[in-house]
Amino acid sequence: QTELNNCISMLVAGNDRIQTIISQLEDSCQSTEENSEVAKRELCARFDALAALLEEKKAELLQRISQEQADKTAFIQSLICQYKEQLEKSSRLVETAVQAAEESEGAAFLMGTGTPTSVLSLSRIVEASKGGRLDKIEQGYESMDAFSVSLEHLTEAVHALDFDPAEEDEEYFDGEEEEMEE
């Protein structure tokens, strides 16, 4: 009887230890879930901050491209206006020259022997035929190749992202599992 009571006491004590271990494991499970949620929130916050930084940088670079586009198109538009003005002057000069050539004294007019108020002279026609001395754009001026961005190194860095090994959770054992096996 005593031996049976001792065995029962040992079983009860063993059951108490097992219940204590189960409670500790349940607490560990709960802590693991809570810590995982915290880690997930922190990870999301860091990635959100990185995404915001990338969006900010993208907006900055897009603004620089837009500014360059505006500068170049403004310059080209000013050249277009200058060339249109030159074309208009040249066209008027052509009309005047054609009229002068049709007049009976056209040759005398072109030689400078016409009236002093005449606006047409041979030197003026020759100068106008050269197309003026207007600015031109260099070949490839419209190219935006200077705004090419290589993201290969960043892509590699993103692919290499991982948790720091020193900060990873390791499995911890209190040695109680060994007792359970006995």
Side-chain angles (χ1 to χ4, degrees), residues 7-72:
C7 285
I8 291 173
S9 293
M10 285 176 35
L11 282 175
V12 169
N15 285 348
D16 287 345
R17 274 198 325 262
I18 290 173
Q19 186 58 49
T20 302
I21 291 171
I22 289 172
S23 294
Q24 289 173 344
L25 290 173
E26 286 173 343
D27 289 346
S28 292
C29 190
Q30 180 66 31
S31 293
T32 300
E33 288 177 10
E34 291 170 0
N35 291 340
S36 293
E37 289 304 314
V38 168
K40 287 177 185 178
R41 282 194 302 274
E42 287 177 2
L43 182 67
C44 287
R46 289 179 185 202
F47 270 82
D48 290 346
L50 180 60
L53 179 63
L54 286 172
E55 282 298 320
E56 184 179 310
K57 190 63 173 178
K58 180 174 85 172
E60 174 192 325
L61 294 176
L62 285 171
Q63 175 57 36
R64 286 175 50 193
I65 291 172
S66 295
Q67 185 60 54
E68 183 71 8
Q69 174 192 359
D71 293 347
K72 284 185 173 189

Side-chain angles (χ1 to χ4, degrees), residues 153-168:
H153 62 290
L154 291 177
T155 303
E156 290 172 7
V158 168
H159 284 295
L161 278 177
D162 203 350
F163 298 103
D164 291 334
E167 294 180 13
E168 281 188 39

